[in-house]
Amino acid sequence: MADVSSKPYVPSHPDVIVVGGGIIGLSAAWQLLREGVEVAVVDPAPGTGASHAAAGMLAPIHEAYWGETHILRLNLAASQAWPAFADSLGVDAVDYRRNGMLMAAYDADDKALLDNLGDLHEQEGLPVERLRNRECRFREPLLAPGVRGGVYSPLDHQVNPRRVVAELLRRVPTIPASVTEVAGNQVATDDGRVMACQQVVVAAGAWTGRLLGVPIRPIKGQILRLSGPEGLLQLPVRGVVRGSSVYAVPRSDGEIVVGATQEEQGFDTRVTAGGVYELLRDVLALLPGLSEIDLVETWAGLRPGAPDNAPIIGTGDDGIVYATGHYRNGILTAPITATAVSAVVQGHEPPVDLVPFSPGRFDAKPGGHTPDPEHLSGVPA
Ligand SMILES: Cc1cc2nc3c(=O)[nH]c(=O)nc-3n(C[C@H](O)[C@H](O)[C@H](O)COP(=O)(O)OP(=O)(O)OC[C@H]3O[C@@H](n4cnc5c(N)ncnc54)[C@H](O)[C@@H]3O)c2cc1C
């Protein structure tokens, strides 16, 4: 067990340098540390990226989509890795809860959409319960009386990502600097330092495409935090409301996270009146009882997305180990990415097949990515 009573010791010559201290970089560093590897994470503002915005749903089932079987397999493996990962940080400290998740349909068209997803669940042999109106409201009494039906997934869980990052930051050494140049075994930072190591891991989230020529783009998500009495909402609820998706995730302290928009807006993190309106309109249609509680925070974060929506995990031709592109599921997939990165760095067998997630998969394909010269310079301070 690591000593978390004092600030983590920063090695002067780490074996591994991780660029980016979001949940992915910090989890990879934590796994490496636990396996005896000396590591340091370089980030000017660790924990302030997408990981600070995220709702914390650990939802392989409700995140399953047609045509993404390889992502589903990774997400299921990630879900299985979560209990041990939460244990390593403290289950209560990170508010890891295994109470399942309900997806509800607002009207008949929404129900048709859910039925279609239910067919996918059945085809993949996923353990879900299809519910009628009354059964939905029995599980979550706050649901609007008119909901048409739903799907309950006992395998979809939740955690508080901000607490996970806080616990990781207590354990993992960090160097506050922005990386300007990267190679397989050294990084240069904006304060003029060049740091050498045996292996560099890049986990710079949505900014990875700016630092290196990988096709990662930012996908903006606006998200709200409400606060009410503890236990007001029994379990996380996702909804399809007139064709739009919305969710409400209750924390053990009474916070309810409502999200999230999906916008292709570049590196824009403004919270807009329209974004907040749409989220409140849809969540209050689904859970009208939330209208009386406090709106305590509006926020926006940038999900890192690859062209095929799958993460990029593995060693590139440039000798750099990549851990990025986790898009909508970076909180869920942090533990499995961490063990995969640690295995790759140490030359061990990874816990899952990484071929579908290889950094080279976009090379030399017709219409494949050509790095944008603008993206090769200028990284965030
Ligand atoms: C609104 C919203 C809701 C979400 N909800 C969920 C959810 O419920 N469940 C789920 O599983 N996922 C969710 N996600 C997705 C999840 O948040 C991301 O996939 C995940 O946080 C990505 O983690 P990361 O560490 O790769 O990126 P980030 O958390 O963005 O971290 C990247 C880090 O890299 C640093 N960095 C960038 N450039 C440099 C540089 N040049 N030098 C040094 N450091 C650098 C940044 O400062 C930052 O700290 C959500 C995302 C959003 C936006």
Side-chain angles (χ1 to χ4, degrees), residues 341-366:
V341 165
S342 180
V344 168
V345 166
Q346 297 183 79
H348 301 156
E349 187 67 27
V352 283
D353 177 15
L354 293 180
V355 171
F357 311 113
S358 78
R361 70 186 188 271
F362 305 107
D363 298 345
K365 280 189 193 154

Side-chain angles (χ1 to χ4, degrees), residues 1-370:
M1 194 64 174
D3 175 13
V4 291
S5 55
S6 55
K7 262 187 133 219
Y9 156 75
V10 183
S12 47
H13 299 288
D15 302 321
V16 175
I17 291 176
V18 179
V19 180
I23 197 165
I24 297 296
L26 291 170
S27 302
W30 174 227
Q31 185 64 33
L32 284 159
L33 266 180
R34 290 197 288 161
E35 294 181 25
V37 178
E38 287 216 324
V39 61
V41 174
V42 184
D43 190 322
T48 57
S51 309
H52 191 72
M57 290 175 290
L58 309 174
I61 311 293
H62 283 325
E63 279 289 329
Y65 295 99
W66 290 103
E68 294 187 350
T69 310
H70 56 304
I71 300 179
L72 171 63
R73 298 276 159 260
L74 180 76
N75 289 350
L76 286 168
S79 175
Q80 284 178 2
W82 251 100
F85 184 69
D87 259 348
S88 78
L89 300 173
V91 170
D92 291 338
V94 298
D95 205 7
Y96 174 59
R97 292 201 282 159
R98 297 157 61 101
N99 45 2
M101 196 172 287
L102 180 64
M103 189 179 259
Y106 182 71
D107 65 21
D109 289 343
D110 299 328
K111 173 83 170 32
L113 258 170
L114 268 200
D115 286 343
N116 181 270
L117 270 183
D119 295 344
L120 169 66
H121 296 145
E122 257 166 37
Q123 181 184 296
E124 294 290 340
L126 301 171
V128 293
E129 287 173 46
R130 296 199 196 204
L131 305 178
R132 289 196 289 259
N133 164 294
R134 267 219 221 147
E135 295 162 324
C136 286
R137 298 193 69 224
F138 177 74
R139 285 206 184 260
E140 181 44 73
L142 222 59
L143 276 168
V147 292
R148 291 305 177 103
V151 176
Y152 174 72
S153 159
L155 278 193
D156 288 344
H157 306 310
Q158 59 164 311
V159 75
N160 185 332
R162 291 183 180 177
R163 291 216 204 162
V164 175
V165 166
E167 289 302 320
L168 288 167
L169 284 172
R170 294 173 64 202
R171 292 162 168 83
V172 171
T174 52
I175 299 172
S178 185
V179 170
T180 50
E181 279 177 59
V182 194
N185 56 6
Q186 67 175 33
V187 303
T189 54
D190 59 348
D191 52 10
R193 275 184 286 178
V194 175
M195 291 180 248
C197 63
Q198 288 167 32
Q199 181 62 61
V200 173
V201 175
V202 172
W207 295 271
T208 311
R210 279 188 163 181
L211 193 58
L212 292 154
V214 283
I216 291 293
R217 70 193 195 287
I219 298 125
K220 175 176 169 181
Q222 300 189 47
I223 192 158
L224 316 175
R225 280 166 169 83
L226 314 180
S227 180
E230 275 173 44
L232 178 66
L233 193 62
Q234 312 278 308
L235 78 172
V237 175
R238 294 171 68 130
V240 191
V241 179
R242 300 182 202 97
S244 299
S245 297
V246 71
Y247 55 74
V249 181
R251 306 262 187 252
S252 55
D253 61 2
E255 181 179 82
I256 297 176
V257 185
V258 173
T261 65
Q262 293 228 74
E263 304 163 63
E264 303 266 353
Q265 303 261 79
F267 285 88
D268 163 30
T269 50
R270 288 172 312 122
V271 175
T272 62
V276 174
Y277 164 74
E278 278 171 29
L279 291 173
L280 286 176
R281 178 196 64 197
D282 293 344
V283 82
L284 295 180
L286 198 68
L287 299 158
L290 298 186
S291 63
E292 295 301 323
I293 64 173
D294 299 349
L295 170 62
V296 292
E297 186 188 296
T298 59
W299 197 261
L302 301 172
R303 307 172 183 90
D308 58 2
N309 297 338
I312 299 178
I313 308 168
T315 312
D317 290 345
D318 48 14
I320 294 167
V321 172
Y322 287 82
T324 186
H326 292 75
Y327 192 29
R328 292 186 312 257
N329 288 306
I331 309 303
L332 168 62
T333 49
I336 197 86
T337 302
T339 42
V341 165
S342 180
V344 168
V345 166
Q346 297 183 79
H348 301 156
E349 187 67 27
V352 283
D353 177 15
L354 293 180
V355 171
F357 311 113
S358 78
R361 70 186 188 271
F362 305 107
D363 298 345
K365 280 189 193 154
H369 172 72
T370 312

